[in-house]
Amino acid sequence: MNFRKNKRVLVGVTGGIAAYKSPELVRRLRDRGCEVRVVLTEGGKNFITALTLQAVSGYPVHEHLLDSDAESGMGHIELARWADDIVVAPATANFLAKIAHGTADDLLSTLILATTARVAVAPAMNQQMWSHPATQKNLQAVRDLGVEIIGPGQGDQACGEVGPGRMTEPDDIAQRIAGDGIPQRLSGRKVLLTAGPTWEALDPVRGITNHSSGKMGYALAQAAADMGAIVTIVSGPVSLSAPEGVDVVPVQSAQNMLDAVMKRVTETDVFIAVAAVADYRPADVSEQKIKKSDSADTMSITMVKNPDILASVGEQSERPVTVGFAAETENLLQNARKKLKSKNVDMIVANSVSGEESAFGSDRNRVTLVTPSGDEPLQDGDKYEVSMQILSRIADLVSS
């Protein structure tokens, strides 16, 4: 299965009879978790209304090059920056010629020049127009610009002729742009995660923390929500935005995190401990800032052990499916197997945090799943892609 992260997709609709299929394309993209905006050309308005496209996309349709409602009136630049992908469907012979020659006389053609997003077109036209040397020359120029060509198909055409030029079916276009629809394998399940670092205060100014960015926990939360789960993150201090549709409970210390987890875990189907929790904290927290001593070059801090959140959940008599993370600098799998047994959990996700491949702060990850039945290395990828693989195995445990 080809799972991809939720995308921002801009659908351009030009003036061809195949525009009647464009609302279905918007729906198929949204089914795959995409956020969709639509640009309708003057020609496109002859075949379909903006109201229809607004109804299926959930957003106002963009029609004008200069938008007085946009920031600085430059809507084309805002849309060009917003989109991860632009797909023009249908793409007429005229619009292919515009792309080939760099014409920018309306909003959609200007967007093509102003964007760094992936651009694809789904041509649709009469078979004779498709076969004309000028169209084929323009098509090659479009390809040379790095634009992806989707289709066209062959068959009966609205004009009564038969041949190449039918727009590719909307579901097939959506598949090319957004991948497979995400199976709702965790639909209705409650998933509780911890993410990020903890902050153990020394005084009102200073504290002990670590390099965890929270990216893996937040990626897992977004992926779980995309699979239909009801998701809560208990999050240490991070500089990340809350994933869409996910409840975030901000905490500071390990004790704060434990309290928030234990308050919710009895009503949870899956618990995933991703946070990099400090193992120890200062025994005493100064009420005032600790001042540097002019007479001493060293300072001693007495540390005490923090509560073990994963073990606390693992020892519950009726615990949820429980998954921990093992971030190690050496003996990765040996330490992960030990943790699996000592914490009484269902799975450990083992990843190295040493050297150039450290997962801390990175957008990519490479992990091995450690379970009582053995070790399973997962395909490396960005943290969302890895999260989807992890959650697929967790869904197996939930349904078993």
Side-chain angles (χ1 to χ4, degrees):
M1 300 293 280
N2 179 22
F3 301 129
R4 297 184 188 175
K5 188 176 182 179
N6 286 357
K7 288 186 167 191
R8 294 174 171 179
V9 181
L10 188 68
V11 175
V13 182
T14 66
I17 186 61
Y20 80 89
K21 297 181 179 180
S22 299
E24 184 67 14
L25 171 59
V26 173
R27 290 184 59 189
R28 295 304 178 210
L29 287 167
R30 293 190 68 187
D31 288 345
R32 287 164 166 81
C34 296
E35 185 178 354
V36 183
R37 301 286 193 276
V38 179
V39 173
L40 181 62
T41 68
E42 286 297 318
K45 294 177 187 178
N46 293 318
F47 296 92
I48 196 165
T49 67
L51 185 60
T52 298
L53 293 165
Q54 178 175 321
V56 294
S57 69
Y59 294 96
V61 172
H62 300 273
E63 303 174 45
H64 307 294
L65 178 57
L66 298 178
D67 184 357
S68 60
D69 294 328
E71 183 180 348
S72 303
M74 300 177 69
H76 60 292
I77 299 299
E78 292 176 34
L79 283 171
R81 292 171 178 167
W82 174 85
D84 296 317
D85 290 81
I86 296 176
V87 56
V88 182
T92 61
N94 181 62
F95 196 76
L96 291 176
K98 285 187 178 186
I99 298 176
H101 296 281
T103 303
D105 61 355
D106 63 4
L107 176 57
L108 186 58
S109 58
T110 303
L111 280 169
I112 301 297
L113 293 182
T115 192
T116 58
R118 169 193 180 199
V119 178
V121 294
M125 64 197 73
N126 166 268
Q127 58 91 20
Q128 190 62 45
M129 294 174 67
W130 172 255
S131 301
H132 195 283
T135 301
Q136 292 301 308
K137 181 179 180 180
N138 287 335
L139 192 69
Q140 187 56 52
V142 168
R143 285 196 184 96
D144 292 343
L145 290 170
V147 175
E148 182 177 350
I149 313 296
I150 303 176
Q154 298 199 40
D156 296 333
Q157 299 185 328
C159 60
E161 297 181 10
V162 179
R166 287 172 57 93
M167 189 176 96
T168 301
E169 291 306 308
D171 196 59
D172 293 331
I173 298 173
Q175 167 67 26
R176 288 278 292 273
I177 299 300
D180 297 311
I182 297 173
Q184 302 297 285
R185 296 192 63 198
L186 293 174
S187 179
R189 299 288 189 176
K190 292 184 178 181
V191 175
L192 178 65
L193 303 100
T194 63
T198 59
W199 172 272
E200 309 299 337
L202 284 167
D203 61 26
V205 177
R206 304 178 183 89
I208 297 172
T209 187
N210 59 60
H211 293 298
S212 176
S213 65
K215 288 181 178 180
M216 190 68 217
Y218 276 58
L220 271 164
Q222 183 64 75
D226 292 345
M227 292 178 71
I230 302 166
V231 184
T232 299
I233 307 176
V234 178
S235 176
V238 298
S239 57
L240 300 172
S241 299
E244 184 176 353
V246 172
D247 183 28
V248 178
V249 180
V251 297
Q252 292 284 328
S253 69
Q255 186 62 54
N256 297 154
M257 187 172 282
L258 174 66
D259 293 342
V261 166
M262 299 311 292
K263 181 179 179 180
R264 296 165 174 81
V265 75
T266 56
E267 299 178 353
T268 295
D269 298 301
V270 178
F271 173 65
I272 311 175
V274 193
V277 181
D279 293 325
Y280 292 86
R281 69 182 186 276
D284 298 302
V285 179
S286 174
E287 294 183 0
Q288 304 298 328
K289 178 183 175 182
I290 301 170
K291 303 295 290 183
K292 180 173 65 176
S293 172
D294 294 332
S295 60
D297 293 331
T298 62
M299 181 179 72
S300 297
I301 301 172
T302 301
M303 307 287 284
V304 295
K305 187 177 289 187
N306 261 328
D308 190 320
I309 299 172
L310 183 59
S312 297
V313 174
E315 68 186 13
Q316 300 297 304
S317 58
E318 295 184 6
R319 65 168 174 77
V321 169
T322 302
V323 178
F325 270 62
E328 304 288 348
T329 59
E330 61 181 355
N331 301 323
L332 177 63
L333 295 181
Q334 179 182 346
N335 288 328
R337 294 183 194 110
K338 181 179 178 181
K339 191 171 186 177
L340 177 76
K341 185 175 181 180
S342 65
K343 309 294 185 184
N344 188 35
V345 298
D346 300 290
M347 180 189 298
I348 294 293
V349 181
N351 64 301
S352 174
V353 292
S354 65
E356 295 181 357
E357 295 186 354
S358 173
F360 275 152
S362 172
D363 292 324
R364 300 185 66 80
N365 207 352
R366 176 184 297 174
V367 304
T368 298
L369 302 186
V370 177
T371 67
S373 60
D375 305 336
E376 179 188 0
L378 299 185
Q379 183 177 354
D380 67 317
D382 68 41
K383 288 185 173 178
Y384 183 89
E385 294 167 340
V386 172
S387 294
M388 275 293 179
Q389 296 178 68
I390 295 169
L391 288 165
S392 179
R393 306 307 188 276
I394 291 174
D396 293 339
L397 295 174
V398 171
S399 60
S400 63

